Amino acid sequence: MPSTSRLPASGISRSVALLFAIACGLAVSNIYYAQPLLDTLASEFSISHSSIGVVITITQICYALGLLLLVPLGDLLNRRKLIVSQMALSVLALITVGFAPGINVLFIGLGIVGLLAVVTQVLVAFAATLAAPAERGRIVGLVTSGIVIGILLARTVAGVLTDLAGWRSVYLFSAGMMAIIALILLRILPSEQKRASLSYPQLLRSVLALFVQERILRVRAVLALLIFMAFSILWTSLVLPLSAPPFSLSHTAIGAFGLAGVAGALAAARAGVLADRGFGQRTTGLALILLLSSWGLISLLHYSLLALLGGIILLDLAVQAVHVTNQSLIFNVRPEARSRLTAGYMVFYSIGSASGSLASTYVYAYGGWNAVCLLGAAVSAAALLFWALTRRS
């Protein structure tokens, strides 16, 4: 196990960046395990299919609160202690979900899990701070790819464990993994002293001030809202047609579709390198075109699962490329406020994810898969149009 002393004085080694990526992936998975389990949760807790998206929405709303209330603390407190403390509390919340006797305890537990999952953003901002300026985009791309891969593999892990030992085993397994990674991070992360000379209320107000002062933050935050709304529209509703006739796939098979998305996420990791070289706008435009195009393949679900897989790869590649580019550009604005920049940006990500989850299950219940695809394509087209209108300024 590497020690703190092995962290470079100016820069971050690839092995440490990979550890950050793994930690981010494990933490963010906790708010996505429920997506392939929606039908099971609906059955056990007597929730209608038109309303089951609320399970994801509650988690995302609490995630947004965590972004506003907890992530900015990374600019104020010792990030090593902050990160390890959040992960330790996440272990307790996951155990609560795993043993939830009823819907109220389930919702409270998932809400706390979402609130604490924002530790991923503290880790991303910390990695960006440790990285040398010339390689910041590459490091952000590597660490952020851990987040996207964690989101996607969460479906595979949840599906396999549910088929083997029931849905509760998913959250108990995650509790164990989070405990292990918290202990590793306790040893590897460098200790820091208090940095910002602000009170906590001033720190929170400064997040809003950054939106007023930094146009690139406003533009990239809106793009985050739209791309993750499209992302969530696909992944929240996908379980519904695949678990129903004529497919009637198992949780394991449904979760395996996340593996296709991993291929796209890995391919997009180099978007940060392109941003470092000054190609951030071109990368964004091309990725948004791919995002819109992906819905044509995704709409063929009932005709070809191979076409669906192709669409999933394109969609996840596009979303990851835009997301990495967004963060690479934003982190160059205010080095002393990276946690607050991350918090402001990711609030829009969370709003997009939550609204996409709720809208997709509602639209599917009343219009089927074609309606879901039209919704996803419309949101993707809006993102492309917004980029085209704002790219020159």
Side-chain angles (χ1 to χ4, degrees):
M1 185 187 301
S3 65
T4 300
S5 61
R6 292 176 60 183
L7 287 171
S10 60
I12 179 173
S13 69
R14 182 174 178 83
S15 61
V16 174
L18 284 172
L19 178 61
F20 272 69
I22 292 169
C24 286
L26 288 173
V28 79
S29 295
N30 294 327
I31 58 176
Y32 290 94
Y33 284 131
Q35 285 189 348
L37 310 179
L38 290 180
D39 57 332
T40 299
L41 294 174
S43 176
E44 177 157 345
F45 294 100
S46 301
I47 307 172
S48 68
H49 278 145
S50 62
S51 302
I52 191 59
V54 73
V55 170
I56 308 298
T57 301
I58 286 174
T59 311
Q60 290 290 352
I61 288 173
C62 290
Y63 187 79
L65 289 174
L67 290 169
L68 285 172
L69 301 177
L70 299 180
V71 174
L73 289 172
D75 289 333
L76 182 64
L77 304 178
N78 182 312
R79 274 180 282 207
R80 175 173 174 266
K81 293 181 180 178
L82 180 62
I83 289 167
V84 174
S85 297
Q86 284 183 270
M87 295 191 116
L89 291 172
S90 292
V91 172
L92 298 178
L94 288 163
I95 292 173
T96 299
V97 174
F99 288 105
I103 190 170
N104 291 331
V105 175
L106 176 73
F107 284 173
I108 291 171
L110 287 174
I112 297 173
V113 166
L115 186 74
L116 296 170
V118 298
V119 68
T120 57
Q121 304 311 318
V122 181
L123 282 161
V124 172
F126 200 5
T129 298
L130 293 172
E135 64 170 8
R136 184 164 294 122
R138 180 180 68 84
I139 293 298
V140 169
L142 177 58
V143 176
T144 304
S145 66
I147 296 176
V148 177
I149 291 170
I151 292 171
L152 297 170
L153 288 185
R155 297 163 176 81
T156 304
V157 171
V160 171
L161 289 178
T162 298
D163 284 340
L164 289 176
W167 71 268
R168 295 177 186 273
S169 68
V170 176
Y171 293 95
L172 298 177
F173 168 80
S174 181
M177 295 302 295
M178 289 289 287
I180 292 171
I181 199 67
L183 291 174
I184 295 174
L185 290 174
L186 180 62
R187 179 176 178 182
I188 191 68
L189 294 179
S191 188
E192 296 182 309
Q193 299 302 317
K194 176 179 176 180
R195 290 174 305 282
S197 57
L198 299 172
S199 67
Y200 182 60
Q202 289 174 327
L203 193 74
L204 297 183
R205 287 196 296 269
S206 68
V207 176
L208 297 177
L210 287 170
F211 269 104
V212 175
Q213 297 163 6
E214 303 296 343
R215 186 179 185 278
I216 190 172
L217 176 59
R218 298 194 299 272
V219 170
R220 291 288 160 168
V222 172
L223 284 175
L225 185 152
L226 293 171
I227 63 170
F228 280 103
M229 185 175 181
F231 183 89
S232 193
I233 286 169
L234 170 66
W235 286 110
T236 299
S237 58
L238 184 61
V239 63
L240 300 176
L242 292 180
S243 62
F247 299 110
S248 301
L249 298 180
S250 67
H251 287 100
T252 300
I254 294 171
F257 280 86
L259 297 175
V262 169
L266 288 173
R270 287 187 58 82
V273 177
L274 294 175
D276 285 338
R277 296 175 180 174
F279 299 114
Q281 288 288 16
R282 294 182 185 180
T283 302
T284 302
L286 177 60
L288 291 174
I289 292 171
L290 291 177
L291 178 63
L292 179 58
S293 302
S294 70
W295 289 102
L297 293 173
I298 293 168
S299 67
L300 300 176
L301 179 150
H302 289 290
Y303 302 97
S304 171
L305 291 181
L306 286 177
L308 173 65
L309 287 172
I312 287 173
I313 292 172
L314 284 181
L315 183 141
D316 288 322
L317 186 156
V319 169
Q320 168 72 343
V322 177
H323 184 43
V324 169
T325 303
N326 286 349
Q327 291 188 301
S328 298
L329 295 174
I330 289 170
F331 284 149
N332 289 328
V333 176
R334 296 281 190 92
E336 79 286 356
R338 288 197 177 108
S339 290
R340 281 167 284 168
L341 289 168
T342 301
Y345 169 78
M346 291 299 297
V347 164
F348 282 74
Y349 151 91
S350 191
I351 293 171
S353 293
S355 56
S357 295
L358 194 61
S360 64
T361 52
Y362 180 86
V363 167
Y364 181 82
Y366 293 100
W369 187 247
N370 287 336
V372 169
C373 292
L374 286 173
L375 176 63
V379 171
S380 302
L384 181 59
L385 177 62
F386 179 78
W387 169 80
L389 293 173
T390 59
R391 68 188 178 93
R392 293 191 181 278
S393 53

